């Protein structure tokens, strides 16, 4: 007969976890909570986007204020010869007895002649103008314009030459902002120096009109040459409105990041170091104006300053009013727009807000990859990490973009990125070390974070190849995570 020793402790029943303990310790539940946390972090990420947008708009406001005092985006137009003529206008008025009376009055209208050829040579010197932490690109330009008129074609005129007031002829050319003129432009008509002013109010062909009196004697005097010289200031972009039968434009300047935009690309261009040169040759085939016409057409163009590289993605009804041809008619002509101009944008070397916006677009991806790495580290190393600690790590990663935005307003963007990344990685690494009490795990996680932030930084430097490189990079990261997942016995959690 067996006996039980009296000194042997009583055997306790096995510690079986309760149903709720199984639920709360479930891996699936934690994955669900992490997924919900990722969705929740979209809210502070959207607030970061709003902050970036607010600072960007603030920069645009300061840039607009600087431009309003220095000179706005300039549009240089070829000159037009305007000749007034008189005609008899008949109107019918009914008197008190109900009888119709014909009233004749002498009215004035205009004959317009476009130049035959125009050669424009410009030497432009862009520079930065700062206000506080913001800066705007402005420029000084020396413009020389030379060309000739081939003369009116009498057989195309519907006006009696005897009614033409040759002595009151005007030469009209335009720039967008008269505040940008450093001195009065000089005009030479044939061999005679002419005075230029803004005293003609009946002709509003351009946004700002410069007018010179050109006394003519007869139709033969409309076949003359001219030259115009002026010193001009402006900001952001320099634009040309070519309306001659043949327009040649040559622009040279000291800037390492010019963008050739508008409706015409240069025939020849070179950008080397901090200098650029570009040449355009534009015939009149795409011009919306005839070589000569009668009747005042009003404004010939509307300038909106829109970036045509971005506007090609807009629907027609989303374009600004100035870009819609349906509302862009003046008289019998279609009013020209930015797409009918030659445009040179002087882009800043680094647009910090644009780059920060691009980095922030990858924010949720970095958070997902970081949480996935943290989750696998937790399972492989068997070190529990509380969901509150996940939240703190997520907040630290969101704070990275605020740090990047704040530092980049004072330092170079690349330096700001490195400083913000080092601060974020250092903070999270020290936090992981405090949680796990394991330096190897902390250093491993630091390497993973450095890989993620380095990958995003490389994508920022690749404009044309960012999609293919980013897709391949994500594919490789996914492959690594899939490989790591095979080392985990996921069924062990079901048995527990």
């Amino acid at each position: 007969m067996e006996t039980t020793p009296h000194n042997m402790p009583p055997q306790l029943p096995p510690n079986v976890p309760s149903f709720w303990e199984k639920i709360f310790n479930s891996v699936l539940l934690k994955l669900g909570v992490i997924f919900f946390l990722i969705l929740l972090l979209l809210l502070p990420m959207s607030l970061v986007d709003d902050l970036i947008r607010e600072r960007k708009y603030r920069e645009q406001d300061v840039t607009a204020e600087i431009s309003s005092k220095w000179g706005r985006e300039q549009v240089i137009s070829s000159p037009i010869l305007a000749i007034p003529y008189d005609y008899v206008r008949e109107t019918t008025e009914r008197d008190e007895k109900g009888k119709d009376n014909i009233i004749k009055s002498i009215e004035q209208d205009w004959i317009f002649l476009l130049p035959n050829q125009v050669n424009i040579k410009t030497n432009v010197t862009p520079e930065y103008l700062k206000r506080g932490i913001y800066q705007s690109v402005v420029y000084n330009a020396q413009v020389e314009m030379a060309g000739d008129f081939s003369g009116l074609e009498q057989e195309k005129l519907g006006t009696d030459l005897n009614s033409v007031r040759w002595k009151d002829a005007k030469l009209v050319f335009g720039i967008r902002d008269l505040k940008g003129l450093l001195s009065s432009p000089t005009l030479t008509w044939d061999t005679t120096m002419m005075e230029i002013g803004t005293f003609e109010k009946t002709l509003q062909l351009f946004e700002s009109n410069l007018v010179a009196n050109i006394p003519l004697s007869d139709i033969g005097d409309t076949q003359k040459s001219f030259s115009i010289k002026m010193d001009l200031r402006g900001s952001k972009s320099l634009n040309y409105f070519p309306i001659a039968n043949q327009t040649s434009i040559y622009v040279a300047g000291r800037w390492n990041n010019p963008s050739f935009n508008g409706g015409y690309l240069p025939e020849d261009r070179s950008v080397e170091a901090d200098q650029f040169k570009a040449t355009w040759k534009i015939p009149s085939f795409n011009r919306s104006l005839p070589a000569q016409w009668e009747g005042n057409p009003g404004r010939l163009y509307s300038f909106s300053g829109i970036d045509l590289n971005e506007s090609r993605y807009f629907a027609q009804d989303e374009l600004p009013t100035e870009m819609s041809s349906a509302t862009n008619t003046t008289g019998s002509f279609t009013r020209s727009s930015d797409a009918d101009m030659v445009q040179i944008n002087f882009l800043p070397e680094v647009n910090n807000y644009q780059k920060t916006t691009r980095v922030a677009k990858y924010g949720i991806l970095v958070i997902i990859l970081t949480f996935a790495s943290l989750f696998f580290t937790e399972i492989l190393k068997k070190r529990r990490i509380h969901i509150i600690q996940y939240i703190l790590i997520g907040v630290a990663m969101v704070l990275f973009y605020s740090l990047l935005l704040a530092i980049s307003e004072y330092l170079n963007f690349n330096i700001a990125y490195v400083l913000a990344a080092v601060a974020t990685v250092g903070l999270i690494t020290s936090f992981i070390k405090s949680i796990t009490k394991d330096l190897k795990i902390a250093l491993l996680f630091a390497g993973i974070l450095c890989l993620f932030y380095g990958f995003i930084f490389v994508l920022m430097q690749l404009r044309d190849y960012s999609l293919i490189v980013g897709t391949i990079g994500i594919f490789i990261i996914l492959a690594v995570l899939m490989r790591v997942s095979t080392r985990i016995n996921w069924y062990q959690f079901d048995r527990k």
Side-chain angles (χ1 to χ4, degrees):
M1 184 174 179
E2 295 182 359
T3 59
T4 303
H6 294 285
N7 59 351
M8 191 174 202
Q11 188 174 1
L12 297 175
N15 185 16
V16 179
S18 66
F19 173 77
W20 292 110
E21 288 177 338
K22 291 182 179 180
I23 292 295
F24 286 118
N25 292 328
S26 171
V27 173
L28 292 179
L29 177 63
K30 189 157 192 177
L31 282 175
V33 173
I34 291 175
F35 178 74
F36 176 75
L37 177 58
I38 292 173
L39 296 180
L40 196 63
L41 287 174
L42 289 175
L43 178 60
M45 285 299 300
S46 66
L47 296 178
V48 170
D49 289 336
D50 292 340
L51 178 61
I52 297 173
R53 195 176 299 110
E54 177 187 349
R55 302 298 289 181
K56 181 179 180 180
Y57 289 155
R58 171 59 181 163
E59 181 195 40
Q60 292 175 350
D61 291 340
V62 173
T63 300
E65 183 180 355
I66 293 174
S67 300
S68 66
K69 298 178 180 180
W70 177 274
R72 296 181 296 167
E73 298 173 84
Q74 294 290 6
V75 179
I76 301 173
S77 305
S78 303
I80 296 177
L81 188 60
I83 308 170
Y85 68 93
D86 296 328
Y87 68 96
V88 178
R89 180 183 180 186
E90 294 184 354
T91 57
T92 302
E93 294 184 1
R94 181 168 295 180
D95 59 17
E96 297 177 353
K97 298 180 180 181
K99 182 180 179 180
D100 291 336
N101 297 319
I102 297 177
I103 306 299
K104 295 182 178 181
S105 60
I106 298 178
E107 303 287 342
Q108 175 184 293
D109 215 332
W110 296 86
I111 301 171
F112 295 97
L113 177 64
L114 298 184
N116 177 45
Q117 63 175 359
V118 172
N119 299 313
I120 304 175
K121 182 179 179 182
T122 306
N123 184 18
V124 60
T125 308
E127 60 180 302
Y128 285 112
L129 199 61
K130 293 186 177 181
R131 170 165 294 183
I133 63 174
Y134 303 103
Q135 60 184 11
S136 177
V137 179
V138 299
Y139 59 82
N140 289 280
Q142 293 76 44
V143 182
E144 297 181 5
M145 184 186 307
D148 61 71
F149 291 88
S150 58
L152 286 171
E153 298 183 33
Q154 185 174 351
E155 61 275 9
K156 293 184 179 181
L157 287 177
T159 302
D160 184 6
L161 293 181
N162 294 324
S163 64
V164 177
R165 293 156 49 187
W166 301 104
K167 294 183 179 180
D168 296 327
K170 314 284 185 184
L171 187 70
V172 186
F173 69 98
I175 61 173
R176 184 165 183 249
D177 191 0
L178 294 176
K179 189 177 293 184
L181 285 174
L182 298 178
S183 59
S184 298
T186 58
L187 167 65
T188 303
W189 176 258
D190 199 11
T191 58
T192 306
M193 296 286 293
M194 298 288 181
E195 179 184 358
I196 297 178
T198 59
F199 41 78
E200 181 58 57
K201 301 300 182 182
T202 60
L203 293 174
Q204 299 297 326
L205 302 177
F206 309 110
E207 196 162 346
S208 297
N209 296 271
L210 294 169
V211 183
N213 292 320
I214 308 292
L216 305 178
S217 57
D218 53 33
I219 192 172
D221 284 346
T222 60
Q223 189 173 356
K224 298 288 185 180
S225 62
F226 66 88
S227 65
I228 301 171
K229 295 181 180 181
M230 57 183 166
D231 293 331
L232 192 63
R233 297 196 307 191
S235 58
K236 187 180 176 181
S237 70
L238 179 60
N239 307 268
Y240 299 89
F241 181 42
I243 54 176
N245 293 334
Q246 181 66 44
T247 303
S248 298
I249 302 173
Y250 171 79
V251 182
R254 299 182 63 85
W255 197 251
N256 58 1
N257 197 20
S259 174
F260 304 109
N261 204 345
Y264 307 92
L265 291 177
E267 296 289 329
D268 299 301
R269 60 179 172 180
S270 64
V271 181
E272 299 177 358
D274 60 345
Q275 296 184 346
F276 74 94
K277 298 178 182 179
T279 303
W280 290 260
K281 295 181 180 179
I282 305 170
S284 61
F285 298 115
N286 293 326
R287 186 180 64 191
S288 60
L289 299 171
Q292 66 180 57
W293 74 93
E294 300 173 25
N296 196 338
R299 186 74 59 81
L300 297 182
Y301 70 80
S302 293
F303 180 78
S304 60
I306 190 171
D307 188 347
L308 299 181
N309 288 329
E310 296 180 359
S311 66
R312 67 180 182 271
Y313 299 109
F314 299 156
Q316 184 65 23
D317 56 353
E318 294 176 338
L319 290 176
T321 305
E322 295 84 349
M323 298 293 293
S324 175
S325 59
T327 59
N328 239 1
T329 57
T330 170
S332 59
F333 309 130
T334 300
R335 181 178 296 177
S336 300
S337 65
D338 300 43
D340 301 298
M341 298 181 184
V342 170
Q343 184 181 83
I344 307 171
N345 281 315
F346 302 105
L347 303 177
E349 294 182 1
V350 177
N351 190 323
N352 291 337
Y353 298 108
Q354 183 179 2
K355 285 197 170 186
T356 305
T357 301
R358 291 178 60 193
V359 171
K361 289 180 179 179
Y362 297 99
I364 194 65
L365 175 63
V366 175
I367 291 175
I368 292 174
L369 294 177
T370 302
F371 279 0
S373 303
L374 192 62
F375 180 73
F376 283 126
T377 303
E378 179 181 354
I379 293 177
L380 291 174
K381 299 299 182 180
K382 296 181 174 56
R383 299 295 178 91
R384 296 297 301 273
I385 300 177
H386 198 273
I387 195 64
I388 297 298
Q389 294 164 337
Y390 273 90
I391 294 176
L392 293 175
I393 292 174
V395 172
M397 287 188 292
V398 172
L399 186 60
F400 162 79
Y401 302 99
S402 297
L403 279 174
L404 175 60
L405 175 64
I407 299 174
S408 65
E409 290 186 335
Y410 297 91
L411 300 178
N412 178 271
F413 180 84
N414 293 344
I415 297 177
Y417 189 96
V418 172
L419 291 177
V422 168
T424 304
V425 172
L427 176 63
I428 296 177
T429 301
S430 62
F431 188 54
I432 296 294
K433 171 65 170 56
S434 301
I435 296 172
T436 62
K437 310 299 182 183
D438 191 329
L439 180 60
K440 291 183 179 180
I441 295 178
L443 293 178
L444 174 63
F445 204 75
I448 293 174
L449 287 178
C450 290
L451 177 64
F452 290 159
Y453 285 119
F455 175 63
I456 300 301
F457 182 79
V458 171
L459 287 183
M460 294 302 301
Q461 312 304 317
L462 303 174
R463 295 185 179 180
D464 297 333
Y465 303 100
S466 59
L467 178 60
I468 181 65
V469 174
T471 304
I472 294 175
I474 298 298
F475 184 85
I476 294 175
I477 293 173
L478 179 60
V480 172
L481 292 178
M482 293 173 67
R483 179 63 178 173
V484 171
S485 68
T486 61
R487 300 178 59 185
I488 301 174
N489 183 10
W490 298 97
Y491 296 100
Q492 63 177 321
F493 303 108
D494 296 336
R495 290 194 296 269
K496 291 181 180 180

